[in-house]
């Protein structure tokens, strides 16, 4: 549907890192090493004094990880980026870099459940309060912002797919001197570049579309040099949630095909969402691409959306009939996936487990993978027929 951004020139980003020692390998090497040695006392002391920037220990600087970070910074239109061991390490490090006891965070409602739980546990214990607002209601956001330290966004959200006017919200945060952050995992920099819309920090679960092959758990934060310096000062080295060299290498591989994967996810998911919307047994399809137009700054849609069955459809039968669609959380890889809303609502033994994240018990979340739209649709139709 919507035109995406220009394809990224990833090859030139990779070769920019070749200082003559990669033997012209088309794929960059993995620096799978914990430490880097010094040839002399003088070289070692010069590094420790900061007179020479070079890798010392991988938790600090690793060339493969750095390569991924620089690629991501460039893709998001930022000056710098930091790779983390998971999306949650990225979120917690970003948030903890800007708050002190007594501070307040404003967050859009229906954020990623574990982000919500981080806010309700660790941050609550640190006496940091989180106020939730509807990101679609700019007046409510403007009212909540004065005095806050962080404005935490996620757009679109990853179950009910609420899409916000990120540029307008970022401008509100700026006006009130509040640091703005956004979880951009759903759209990826291919469809949305929040830094260019005025957001201070962009966060990803790289486990999803950036990696794109369901074989890595990782995260990343991108922004200006100044903003990233805040993370580098304490959270990155001392919380220690560093991205590993091998995972960074997998992410570099994944990024090479990000544009074509996103276009394919978009096309297949749009087709299936529109067809579902036509069915009598479907009450509502939650997909930002079905609205008259996308919010400003969102230039396309990905493969993740949800829909709500009408009363009387047996979701268990529907789910168990599917074969190409696997029952499973996460998303962003080749595979099509389904998560029944009722399963998430029954997730016990979690802090604040009464919270529903806006999930309807008759809803189902789909990730539309790359298996082929018609094969996926045939299977959905058959499963719906069996369940109705
Ligand atoms: C998966 C996910 C996260 C958390 O990322 P991990 O890599 O699993 O730690 C954060 N935000 C969104 C929207 C996600 O889907």
């Amino acid at each position: 549907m919507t035109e995406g951004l220009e394809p990224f020139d990833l090859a030139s980003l990779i070769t920019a890192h070749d200082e003559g020692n990669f033997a012209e390998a088309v794929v960059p090497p993995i620096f799978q090493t914990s430490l880097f040695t010094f040839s002399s006392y003088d070289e070692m002391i010069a590094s420790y004094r900061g007179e020479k920037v070079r890798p010392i220990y991988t938790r600090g600087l690793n060339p493969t990880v750095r390569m991924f970070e620089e690629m991501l910074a460039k893709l998001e239109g930022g000056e710098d980026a930091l790779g983390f061991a998971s999306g949650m390490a990225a979120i917690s490090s970003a948030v903890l870099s800007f708050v002190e006891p007594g501070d307040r965070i404003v967050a859009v409602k229906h954020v990623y459940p574990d982000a919500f739980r981080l806010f309700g546990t660790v941050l609550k214990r640190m006496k940091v309060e989180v106020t939730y607002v509807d990101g679609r209601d700019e007046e409510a956001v403007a009212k909540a912002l004065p005095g806050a330290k962080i404005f935490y966004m996620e757009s679109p959200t990853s179950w009910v797919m609420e899409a916000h006017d990120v540029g307008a919200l970022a401008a509100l945060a700026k006006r009130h001197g509040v640091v703005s952050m956004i979880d951009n995992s759903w759209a990826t920099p291919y469809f949305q570049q929040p830094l260019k819309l005025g957001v201070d920090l962009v966060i990803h679960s790289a486990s999803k579309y950036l990696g794109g092959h369901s074989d890595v758990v990782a995260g990343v934060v991108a922004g200006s040099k100044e903003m990233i310096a805040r993370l580098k000062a304490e959270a990155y080295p001392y919380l220690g949630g560093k991205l590993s060299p091998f995972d960074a290498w997998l992410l570099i591989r994944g990024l090479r095909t990000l544009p074509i994967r996103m276009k394919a996810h978009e096309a297949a998911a749009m087709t299936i969402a529109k067809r579902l919307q036509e069915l009598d047994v479907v009450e509502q399809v939650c997909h930002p691409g079905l609205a008259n137009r996308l919010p400003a700054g969102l230039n396309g849609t990905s493969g993740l959306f949800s829909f709500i069955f009408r009363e009387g459809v047996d979701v268990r039968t529907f789910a168990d009939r599917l074969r190409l669609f696997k029952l499973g959380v996460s998303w962003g890889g080749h595979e099509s996936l389904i998560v029944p809303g009722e399963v998430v609502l029954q997730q016990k033994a979690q802090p604040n487990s009464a919270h529903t994240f806006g999930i309807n018990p008759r809803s189902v979340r789909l990730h539309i993978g790359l298996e082929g739209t018609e094969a996926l649709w045939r299977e959905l139709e058959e499963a719906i027929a069996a369940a109705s």
Side-chain angles (χ1 to χ4, degrees), residues 86-88 91 112 154 158 183 185 205 207-208 217-218 331:
S86 69
M88 281 311 301
I91 293 169
Y112 179 69
E154 186 179 323
S158 59
D183 182 332
S185 307
S205 168
S207 324
K208 313 295 162 55
V217 169
W331 39 273

Side-chain angles (χ1 to χ4, degrees), residues 227-241:
M227 283 286 160
I228 295 295
R230 282 286 288 258
L231 275 75
K232 279 184 177 168
E234 294 173 1
Y236 192 60
Y238 308 141
L239 295 180

Side-chain angles (χ1 to χ4, degrees), residues 94-154:
V95 168
L96 289 170
S97 294
F98 291 89
V99 287
E100 287 172 37
D103 283 345
R104 192 165 60 83
I105 296 175
V106 176
V108 299
K109 61 178 188 166
H110 305 149
V111 294
Y112 179 69
D114 280 351
F116 174 84
R117 292 176 187 123
L118 169 74
F119 297 160
T121 56
V122 178
L123 287 175
K124 191 170 175 195
R125 251 188 307 111
M126 280 183 58
K127 308 269 184 273
V128 174
E129 188 202 334
V130 183
T131 317
Y132 290 92
V133 290
D134 187 336
R136 294 164 300 186
D137 184 348
E138 284 169 32
E139 233 169 86
V141 173
K143 217 182 262 174
L145 282 175
K149 273 288 166 64
I150 295 175
F151 179 42
Y152 185 91
M153 293 177 266
E154 186 179 323

Side-chain angles (χ1 to χ4, degrees), residues 341-376:
E342 181 62 25
V343 171
V344 180
L345 293 173
Q346 300 222 357
Q347 184 175 21
K348 289 285 185 294
Q350 295 282 357
N352 311 302
S353 60
H355 197 79
T356 67
F357 306 103
I359 299 172
N360 183 302
R362 280 180 285 110
S363 72
V364 168
R365 189 179 76 179
L366 297 181
H367 178 251
I368 306 301
L370 305 173
E371 299 94 336
T373 312
E374 294 312 322
L376 293 172

Side-chain angles (χ1 to χ4, degrees), residues 279-284 307-315 342 360-363 384 387-388:
L279 301 181
D280 288 339
V281 293
V282 171
E283 185 174 298
Q284 192 191 341
F307 67 95
I308 304 170
F309 276 123
R310 282 195 202 286
E311 238 33 276
V313 178
D314 183 15
V315 179
E342 181 62 25
N360 183 302
R362 280 180 285 110
S363 72
I384 289 169
S388 317

